[in-house]
Amino acid sequence: NWMDNETRDLLSAWESIKIDGLDEGTLATLYQAAHNIKGQALTLGFPLVGDVAAGFCHLIENIPSPDKLPLELAERYVEAIRAMVMEGAKDDANKTGVQLLETLSSVTNAYLAQFPKKDDEA
């Protein structure tokens, strides 16, 4: 039930971006929803979903400004989390979910490589 509620919050935050546009406020709401999922997923038996949410948070944390968020990639994260929760893809036993996580991570890392590392990461 909790994962369903958190997923609805994530979907709602994403819909707000699609309707109202992307700015500091809408990005912060999206990030908070993903961060909540990341923080609770393992405890609630969804470690794979938590890993996807962690990757999404990593993307958001490392873009230099909201206008640099790749919307298509962000939507893929949102849809991956939604689908995994809906299908009950909880852990590494779900090979499709693992492959999706690996693909999202690879695309995210390739995208973020174009930006200079932040001072604390250099």
Side-chain angles (χ1 to χ4, degrees):
N1 220 3
W2 180 89
M3 286 300 289
D4 290 336
N5 291 338
E6 292 300 324
T7 302
R8 274 194 294 277
D9 289 347
L10 181 68
L11 290 168
S12 176
W14 179 245
E15 285 301 313
S16 291
I17 287 173
K18 289 172 37 178
I19 293 167
D20 301 327
L22 185 61
D23 60 29
E24 292 284 344
T26 56
L27 183 60
T29 301
L30 182 67
Y31 176 80
Q32 188 60 55
H35 192 266
N36 290 347
I37 292 170
K38 177 183 98 169
Q40 293 295 322
L42 180 61
T43 302
L44 297 171
F46 284 85
L48 188 58
V49 174
D51 290 343
V52 173
F56 194 20
C57 288
H58 175 71
L59 172 65
I60 294 169
E61 290 166 352
N62 287 284
I63 55 172
S65 61
D67 65 313
K68 298 296 185 191
L69 180 70
L71 296 179
E72 189 173 310
L73 180 55
E75 185 167 35
R76 287 198 172 126
Y77 271 106
V78 171
E79 285 302 315
I81 292 168
R82 183 199 58 76
M84 287 177 172
V85 171
M86 191 171 79
E87 296 293 323
K90 295 183 176 189
D91 55 33
D92 290 349
N94 187 296
K95 299 305 177 197
T96 302
V98 169
Q99 185 175 16
L100 181 57
L101 171 61
E102 290 171 356
T103 300
L104 288 169
S105 295
S106 176
V107 171
T108 296
N109 290 334
Y111 179 77
L112 291 175
Q114 69 182 303
F115 303 113
K117 298 250 185 226
K118 294 180 180 178
D119 289 337
D120 61 336
E121 296 176 358

